[in-house]
Amino acid sequence: MRLSINRPAARFDYFSLGVAFCVAAPIAYVLFHSLQKISSVLGVYPAEMWVAAVLKTAGLMLGSAAIALATGTASAFLLHRYKWPMQKLWKFSAVIPLAVPAHLYALAALSYLDPQGYLQSFLREAGLNIYWDPKSFVLLCLTVGISLSPYCYLFMLGAMRRQDLQLEDSAKLLRPKARWLKGLWGLRLALLAPPAAASIWFVALDSFGNLGASVVLGQDTLMTLIYDTWTGLYSFESAISLSMVSLSVFGFLFFISSNKAMPQNTQRSWNKSKPKGKTAAFGFLFLGLFFLVSTALPLALFILQSFRQLTGPANLQRLISQLLYSTGLAVVVAMLCAFFGMLLVFNQHRLKTPRWLVEIGYTAYALPGLIYGVSIYLVYVAGLELFGLQQSILFSFLILLFALSAKFFAVSSKSVHSILSYQPAELMESALLLHKSWPHYFKCVFWRGTRPAWFSGSILIILEVLKEVPITMVLRPYGFQSLSTEVFDLTAEGFYGRASLPALALVCLGFLFLYLLDPESRDS
Amino acid sequence: MQQKANREPVLSVQNLCFSYDQKPVLENLNLEVFESEIFCILGSSGCGKSTLLRILAGLTKPSKGQVKFAKPDCKVGFVFQNYALFPHLTVFENIAYGLLESNKEKTKQRVDELAAQFEISELLSKYPSEVSGGQAQRISIARSLAPKPDLLLMDEPFSNLDAKQKSKLKPELLQKLRLANVPTILVTHDQEEAFDIGDRIAVMNEGKFVQVGPTYDIYHEPKCRFAAEFIGTGAFIDAAPSHDGKNIQTALGEIPMPKGCGATSNRKPVELFVRPEDLVHDDDSPDCLEASVVSRQFRGAHSIFRLRLVSGEEVYSLAPSHHLHKPGDKFKVRVELDHVLLFPKNH
């Protein structure tokens, strides 16, 4: 493939167009179906239920975003500024929730706080006449917020690292006696506002699509209403119409969000000092509490309860098959995403694809998994009918692979795009002037420069697929169960003890992949 | 400038030391800065100039030594190398940042006064991302001067500007600093900048001051080899004292021994440091020395020729740039050594 330096105007990127079509067409198909069936949805639910679900969804988005932002920012600030004993442990625990889906936190919370759980049982034995149902909206916000806190942590940590440290020095010298908002803290909050807004946005969009924790904690959100109709409570058409409603809200939110790359402005690196006084006390308290809630307590519970579940070969056999299925699915999806993503991003980089076309390809990632799963299912069924085919395990499996790949390829591709946006524009031109060959440029510049990002992106995709529930529930072949869906099903039915073994397996698997990410990637 | 003896220093630094990871960065620094003085610290990158400035500002603690201010609550202004303008505030808000917010009228008055002084009045409603480098520099200085500091510290304030901007802004800044009457410590690696702006210069090398004094002394009477080599251009040639000790013999001829010269007293080998202006190009005079041109550096109004003497040693000569001698041409010079600089030879 020879490059012409004096090349004419760039060709149109048909590959990206094809990918965008494959990703977005099912969504358009759902929209089309929904418009035809909209009248049927009005009578399905009472108006109060609609309003309550919408309000709960909005509340979940705000509540979980607030919790995620507070915990993520506090972790980022404490770990960025100070040198703590066991620093590596605190840093790792800040990102552990990446490996733990929200419904696992819900499971742990219910196991501890349920009327038959440890806490209430203990209090009753102590003589207190206590019986309360912990399934609440607040607990839902807490579990979803904690599970999404690593995103806020990573956003804020990145922003703090990129911050020009001389700005704080300037503020200290110009207002040496000012305190709190009039002094350094006012400046810090103002500078952290943009990444905070971006991370809130990210968390809110993710919590909009939460299904697992909402079902487990018995809260009626838009996603649970769609899921209920999908599983046959009401009607197939209602699921589609509800999807359309969600899509409209979501589409509006998504397309008005911005996605600007943060400017890189690193000066001298921060000289971390040991914390003293109140900072040390509160810092330790916070880090310890977060570690307890996000890691120690759930892990201890799963380990304790799992030992009881290990008896009997059937349990172990079932666990092993789910483990293999989950890992295999996650690794295959990650490989597909890496392969196609690399070709796609290279092509977009080479042809300078318009931003709008690139973003359409990422639509599936932005959508709630349940809605995308329903969209794919519709297209799948219509396709089978069109070609006169029967449903089969193979087709179901392929469709599941496609849906998960389309949903999650953005995880690695977006981070590579971000790296490329920091590269000076002249890098590609100077490389091509020295050696006029695109394959050589791919091998020596593009692949070498983005290799770490592809690897970390693949690990993150594996983690996402391991945790994933809604798409797997909608599209899985009959009889297949991943670790995450097994936990979901058992917890939803109240079998907390039985759910602990697959939960422990899922968490351990997640920890393993999380640890494979090198420290720089975990923090970037 | 008043004599040092009549004035109390605004700032006094005694035996200042700083180490980072057990590596010494600053060693036994002593300095005094006086009222209305512009004191330049000149040194190459990495010699510890910015670290010294940060210690003086109180942003970093020294490992040893003392920093004493004449006033107990001395207000320090700092102009950072990259200006450190708050990106989320307008130019007006940036300049007003250090002023007491209680009196908004006075704040506005002060900001307007500084904006007029620094010719940035039309930029007050803009953000730092919307102004040029030269404008950002002026805004940064205005912001540092707004709270009327007792001492101003400037860390390479011109390093981010191009040559044209520098040549325009340097005299402007000097004038404004004189008007503001604030003692200033300016750190730079640019000798021209130090000579243009500084009343006194401290030459710094590897965390130590090698020489402190007026610009004239620094240039014409460097006290050590490093100062001689670092400041301006020059070359070392072998020198040997004559038998009677009254002259020095060099490839440029015999030169009278300077009075009180200690470099030759212990009979170790010495070298003479020769600057380009010490060798005047003169093709007509009979006393001239002949050399051959090695290379020429065009500097606009003049050129600096690198010459090879008969002895094989190389020296520099300054000549008007209309002299178009090429490498290999014969070049005659007349020695006009006003300052005889002898240093022990480096082995």
XYZ file of all heavy atoms in Angstrom, chain A residues 164-177 181-184 186-187 190-191 265 267-271 276, chain B residues 20 54 57-59 73 75-78 80-88 94 96-99 101 143-144 147 155:
470
model
N -1.881 22.258 36.630
C -0.660 23.044 36.764
C -0.467 23.375 38.246
O -1.235 24.131 38.826
C -0.813 24.335 35.930
C 0.435 25.183 35.947
O 1.402 24.834 36.659
O 0.442 26.212 35.243
N 0.574 22.814 38.849
C 0.779 22.987 40.279
C 1.107 24.433 40.642
O 0.899 24.855 41.781
C 1.909 22.068 40.740
C 1.617 20.588 40.489
C 2.867 19.769 40.713
C 0.494 20.104 41.375
N 1.590 25.180 39.665
C 1.937 26.567 39.963
C 0.698 27.421 40.229
O 0.800 28.491 40.824
C 2.755 27.161 38.822
C 4.145 26.545 38.763
C 4.979 27.044 37.618
O 4.501 27.744 36.733
N 6.246 26.692 37.611
N -0.468 26.934 39.805
C -1.692 27.677 40.105
C -1.922 27.706 41.613
O -2.289 28.748 42.173
C -2.894 27.050 39.397
C -2.899 27.145 37.868
C -4.085 26.393 37.282
C -2.952 28.585 37.411
N -1.701 26.585 42.276
C -1.890 26.551 43.732
C -0.835 27.414 44.420
O -1.134 28.103 45.399
C -1.793 25.109 44.246
C -3.001 24.279 43.875
C -3.332 23.218 44.902
O -2.708 23.188 45.977
O -4.233 22.427 44.625
N 0.393 27.362 43.904
C 1.447 28.210 44.479
C 1.068 29.683 44.354
O 1.268 30.469 45.280
C 2.780 27.957 43.765
C 3.335 26.574 44.059
O 2.920 25.972 45.073
O 4.177 26.097 43.277
N 0.531 30.050 43.179
C 0.095 31.437 42.967
C -0.959 31.823 43.989
O -0.894 32.888 44.606
C -0.538 31.591 41.586
O 0.408 31.825 40.618
N -1.944 30.944 44.161
C -3.046 31.242 45.081
C -2.530 31.388 46.517
O -2.963 32.261 47.258
C -4.100 30.143 45.001
N -1.567 30.517 46.893
C -1.025 30.582 48.269
C -0.350 31.927 48.495
O -0.433 32.507 49.578
C 0.022 29.485 48.459
C -0.526 28.135 48.832
C 0.621 27.175 49.087
C 0.221 25.789 48.636
N 1.329 24.850 48.578
N 0.361 32.414 47.463
C 1.108 33.662 47.637
C 0.196 34.884 47.551
O 0.417 35.884 48.228
C 2.202 33.761 46.574
C 3.344 32.759 46.767
C 4.229 32.721 45.540
C 4.166 33.118 47.996
N -0.828 34.809 46.696
C -1.703 35.981 46.521
C -2.700 36.122 47.667
O -3.101 37.230 48.009
C -2.452 35.870 45.186
C -1.580 36.091 43.950
C -2.283 35.608 42.698
C -1.239 37.568 43.797
N -3.120 34.998 48.224
C -4.062 35.060 49.356
C -3.515 34.188 50.487
O -4.069 33.131 50.780
C -5.433 34.531 48.921
C -6.181 35.445 47.980
C -7.566 34.932 47.707
N -8.290 35.772 46.789
C -9.521 35.518 46.337
N -10.158 34.432 46.738
N -10.120 36.334 45.492
N -2.472 34.657 51.131
C -1.823 33.786 52.108
C -2.678 33.500 53.340
O -2.513 32.484 53.993
C -0.556 34.567 52.500
C -0.828 35.971 52.110
C -1.806 35.953 50.991
N -3.628 34.414 53.637
C -4.394 34.225 54.874
C -5.804 33.715 54.610
O -6.542 33.433 55.539
C -4.466 35.538 55.645
C -3.118 35.945 56.189
C -3.158 37.274 56.887
C -1.744 37.615 57.328
N -1.610 38.984 57.724
N -13.145 28.304 50.993
C -13.548 28.633 49.632
C -12.910 29.921 49.124
O -12.827 30.128 47.929
C -15.076 28.740 49.540
C -15.822 27.406 49.683
C -17.325 27.628 49.621
C -15.404 26.416 48.597
N -12.461 30.777 50.033
C -11.828 32.008 49.567
C -10.347 31.766 49.272
O -9.690 32.602 48.684
C -11.953 33.098 50.640
C -13.378 33.565 50.806
C -13.460 34.960 51.368
C -14.906 35.420 51.256
N -15.190 36.649 51.876
N -9.865 30.664 49.708
C -8.447 30.371 49.531
C -8.217 29.223 48.571
O -8.871 29.124 47.535
N -7.343 28.324 48.972
C -6.947 27.216 48.103
C -8.111 26.336 47.690
O -8.173 25.876 46.548
C -5.925 26.337 48.830
C -4.465 26.641 48.556
C -3.591 25.613 49.237
C -4.165 26.655 47.071
N -11.204 27.040 47.266
C -12.023 27.657 46.220
C -11.411 27.428 44.851
O -12.097 27.080 43.885
N -10.100 27.589 44.771
C -9.395 27.378 43.504
C -9.463 25.911 43.088
O -9.762 25.583 41.936
C -7.938 27.820 43.649
C -7.063 27.553 42.440
C -7.441 28.474 41.303
C -5.581 27.748 42.775
N -12.885 24.986 41.838
C -13.152 25.584 40.523
C -12.417 24.826 39.412
O -12.971 24.576 38.344
C -12.731 27.043 40.523
N -11.183 24.446 39.665
C -10.413 23.748 38.628
C -10.892 22.325 38.427
O -10.759 21.763 37.334
C -8.921 23.745 39.001
C -8.238 25.105 38.972
C -6.826 25.001 39.499
C -8.216 25.685 37.566
N -1.086 19.379 30.729
C -0.309 20.521 31.190
C 0.469 20.137 32.435
O 0.357 20.770 33.459
C -1.262 21.684 31.495
C -0.505 22.963 31.736
O 0.657 23.078 31.387
N -1.155 23.917 32.346
N 3.431 19.958 34.909
C 4.664 20.662 35.216
C 5.514 19.737 36.075
O 5.701 18.596 35.748
C 4.338 21.969 35.957
C 3.430 22.881 35.163
C 4.134 23.463 33.965
O 5.270 23.919 34.049
N 3.490 23.472 32.819
N 6.023 20.194 37.237
C 6.769 19.293 38.093
C 5.795 18.315 38.730
O 4.630 18.595 38.895
C 7.506 20.077 39.172
C 6.592 20.864 40.054
C 7.355 21.710 41.065
N 6.468 22.643 41.719
C 5.720 22.342 42.761
N 5.772 21.161 43.286
N 4.909 23.216 43.291
N 6.316 17.125 39.088
C 5.434 16.135 39.704
C 5.215 16.504 41.160
O 6.038 17.156 41.782
C 6.049 14.757 39.587
O 7.319 14.766 40.175
N 4.072 16.071 41.693
C 3.704 16.443 43.042
C 4.618 15.741 44.030
O 4.771 14.539 43.986
C 2.246 16.054 43.284
C 1.746 16.567 44.572
C 1.737 15.913 45.763
C 1.219 17.856 44.821
N 1.215 16.716 46.733
C 0.888 17.909 46.198
C 0.989 18.978 44.027
C 0.350 19.049 46.788
C 0.434 20.102 44.612
C 0.131 20.125 45.971
N 5.218 16.532 44.973
C 6.020 15.909 46.018
C 5.096 15.502 47.152
O 4.652 16.341 47.920
C 7.068 16.907 46.541
C 8.119 17.162 45.503
O 8.407 16.319 44.664
N 8.703 18.340 45.532
N -0.720 14.745 58.147
C -0.572 14.982 59.580
C -1.897 15.403 60.173
O -2.778 15.896 59.457
C 0.433 16.122 59.809
C 1.861 15.753 59.513
C 2.765 16.975 59.582
C 4.064 16.681 58.874
N 4.838 17.836 58.576
N 17.602 17.397 47.904
C 16.457 16.629 47.440
C 16.903 15.196 47.240
O 17.813 14.943 46.446
C 15.909 17.232 46.133
C 14.675 16.558 45.648
C 13.467 16.702 46.320
C 14.700 15.719 44.524
C 12.326 16.050 45.889
C 13.565 15.085 44.093
C 12.376 15.257 44.778
O 11.239 14.607 44.349
N 11.760 29.487 45.042
C 10.636 28.858 45.747
C 10.865 28.899 47.259
O 9.932 29.069 48.036
C 10.444 27.421 45.279
C 9.927 27.296 43.856
C 9.709 25.840 43.470
N 8.751 25.208 44.372
C 7.435 25.349 44.277
N 6.903 26.086 43.324
N 6.640 24.754 45.136
N 10.151 32.343 48.436
C 8.701 32.607 48.458
C 8.008 31.859 49.587
O 6.835 32.084 49.852
C 8.080 32.205 47.120
N 8.746 30.942 50.231
C 8.128 30.163 51.299
C 7.377 28.943 50.813
O 6.678 28.281 51.579
N 7.518 28.613 49.537
C 6.796 27.455 48.983
C 7.523 26.154 49.288
O 6.925 25.084 49.237
C 6.646 27.617 47.468
C 5.814 28.827 47.029
C 5.929 29.038 45.535
C 4.363 28.656 47.424
N 5.925 40.741 58.325
C 4.913 40.085 57.480
C 5.131 40.455 56.028
O 4.284 41.078 55.405
C 3.509 40.564 57.903
C 2.806 39.484 58.709
O 3.057 38.301 58.454
O 2.017 39.857 59.591
N 5.164 40.701 52.284
C 4.320 40.167 51.193
C 5.213 39.903 49.992
O 5.978 40.781 49.571
C 3.252 41.198 50.791
C 2.001 41.133 51.666
C 0.877 41.975 51.100
C 1.100 43.435 51.378
N -0.008 44.281 50.906
N 5.108 38.706 49.468
C 5.956 38.311 48.341
C 5.092 38.105 47.105
O 4.100 37.383 47.155
C 6.719 37.010 48.671
C 7.509 36.533 47.467
C 7.644 37.216 49.856
N 5.475 38.746 46.032
C 4.809 38.514 44.750
C 5.658 37.561 43.926
O 6.874 37.557 44.041
N 5.013 36.731 43.109
C 5.762 35.734 42.346
C 5.215 35.691 40.928
O 4.023 35.510 40.725
C 5.600 34.368 43.023
C 6.670 33.376 42.683
C 7.427 32.783 43.684
C 6.914 32.992 41.371
C 8.412 31.854 43.384
C 7.893 32.062 41.073
C 8.650 31.488 42.088
N 5.478 33.404 37.778
C 5.958 32.073 37.388
C 6.372 32.053 35.924
O 5.932 32.866 35.123
C 4.870 31.030 37.623
C 4.617 30.751 39.074
C 3.682 31.483 39.780
C 5.327 29.769 39.736
C 3.447 31.235 41.119
C 5.097 29.514 41.072
C 4.166 30.253 41.765
N 7.169 31.042 35.612
C 7.697 30.921 34.250
C 6.585 30.788 33.224
O 6.642 31.337 32.135
C 8.621 29.713 34.181
C 9.405 29.615 32.896
C 10.435 28.507 32.951
O 10.659 27.882 33.984
N 11.068 28.244 31.846
N 5.551 29.998 33.547
C 4.439 29.850 32.614
C 3.238 30.691 33.037
O 2.119 30.410 32.645
C 4.047 28.373 32.492
C 3.415 27.849 33.753
O 3.462 28.489 34.804
N 2.810 26.691 33.674
N 3.492 31.711 33.873
C 2.531 32.738 34.290
C 1.461 32.250 35.280
O 0.999 33.035 36.094
C 1.857 33.413 33.083
C 2.840 33.767 31.995
C 2.622 33.428 30.669
C 4.049 34.397 32.303
C 3.542 33.721 29.683
C 4.985 34.684 31.322
C 4.721 34.333 30.014
O 5.647 34.608 29.039
N 1.064 30.974 35.180
C 0.090 30.410 36.136
C -1.155 31.279 36.300
O -1.599 31.557 37.414
C 0.763 30.189 37.502
N -1.702 31.728 35.187
C -2.966 32.483 35.250
C -4.107 31.504 35.477
O -4.127 30.423 34.891
C -3.177 33.252 33.945
C -2.131 34.326 33.646
C -2.389 34.967 32.285
C -2.142 35.408 34.717
N -5.043 31.874 36.329
C -6.177 30.988 36.616
C -7.075 30.914 35.384
O -7.663 31.914 34.977
C -6.968 31.507 37.817
C -6.131 31.664 39.051
C -6.055 32.868 39.704
C -5.391 30.601 39.549
C -5.257 33.022 40.838
C -4.592 30.740 40.670
C -4.526 31.963 41.319
N -7.192 29.718 34.806
C -7.886 29.627 33.514
C -9.386 29.894 33.597
O -10.007 30.253 32.596
C -7.625 28.177 33.068
C -7.344 27.428 34.319
C -6.710 28.398 35.264
N -9.957 29.729 34.774
C -11.407 29.862 34.893
C -11.817 31.295 35.266
O -13.005 31.586 35.408
C -11.931 28.890 35.955
C -11.357 29.132 37.318
N -10.021 28.934 37.624
C -11.922 29.566 38.465
C -9.811 29.230 38.889
N -10.935 29.620 39.432
N -8.337 37.689 37.610
C -6.978 37.216 37.906
C -6.188 38.300 38.631
O -5.554 38.025 39.650
C -6.244 36.839 36.609
C -6.290 35.352 36.331
O -5.536 34.571 36.905
N -7.198 34.943 35.465
N -7.352 40.837 40.208
C -7.985 41.202 41.487
C -7.873 40.103 42.536
O -8.227 40.315 43.687
C -9.463 41.524 41.245
N -7.363 38.952 42.132
C -7.390 37.784 43.017
C -6.718 38.039 44.360
O -7.184 37.619 45.410
C -6.720 36.590 42.319
C -6.888 35.291 43.054
C -8.045 34.528 42.891
C -5.905 34.820 43.920
C -8.215 33.341 43.566
C -6.074 33.623 44.605
C -7.223 32.890 44.411
O -7.393 31.705 45.084
N -5.593 38.749 44.340
C -4.830 38.947 45.572
C -5.281 40.139 46.406
O -4.715 40.421 47.462
N -6.302 40.852 45.927
C -6.753 42.052 46.638
C -7.873 41.697 47.589
O -8.639 40.772 47.338
C -7.231 43.110 45.628
C -6.170 43.551 44.639
C -6.769 44.437 43.553
C -5.067 44.309 45.365
N -11.304 41.536 49.125
C -12.576 41.647 48.399
C -13.552 42.606 49.044
O -14.557 42.950 48.473
C -13.236 40.277 48.317
C -12.555 39.372 47.308
C -13.100 37.958 47.349
O -14.252 37.792 47.786
O -12.382 37.060 46.982
N -0.778 41.068 38.105
C -1.424 40.336 39.201
C -0.502 40.266 40.418
O -0.950 40.399 41.562
C -1.774 38.924 38.735
C -2.536 38.104 39.775
C -2.872 36.728 39.263
N -1.697 35.907 39.120
C -1.723 34.624 38.786
N -2.885 34.029 38.564
N -0.622 33.918 38.660
N 0.801 40.049 40.166
C 1.742 39.949 41.290
C 1.914 41.303 41.978
O 2.142 41.352 43.185
C 3.115 39.496 40.812
O 2.984 38.493 39.872
N -1.291 43.347 44.883
C -1.372 43.494 46.343
C -0.237 44.323 46.949
O -0.050 44.321 48.161
C -1.292 42.046 46.854
C -1.142 41.168 45.696
C -0.853 41.981 44.504
N 10.441 34.253 37.919
C 11.126 33.038 37.462
C 11.108 32.994 35.935
O 10.113 32.620 35.324
C 10.429 31.792 38.039
C 11.210 30.518 37.778
O 12.248 30.576 37.083
O 10.788 29.457 38.266
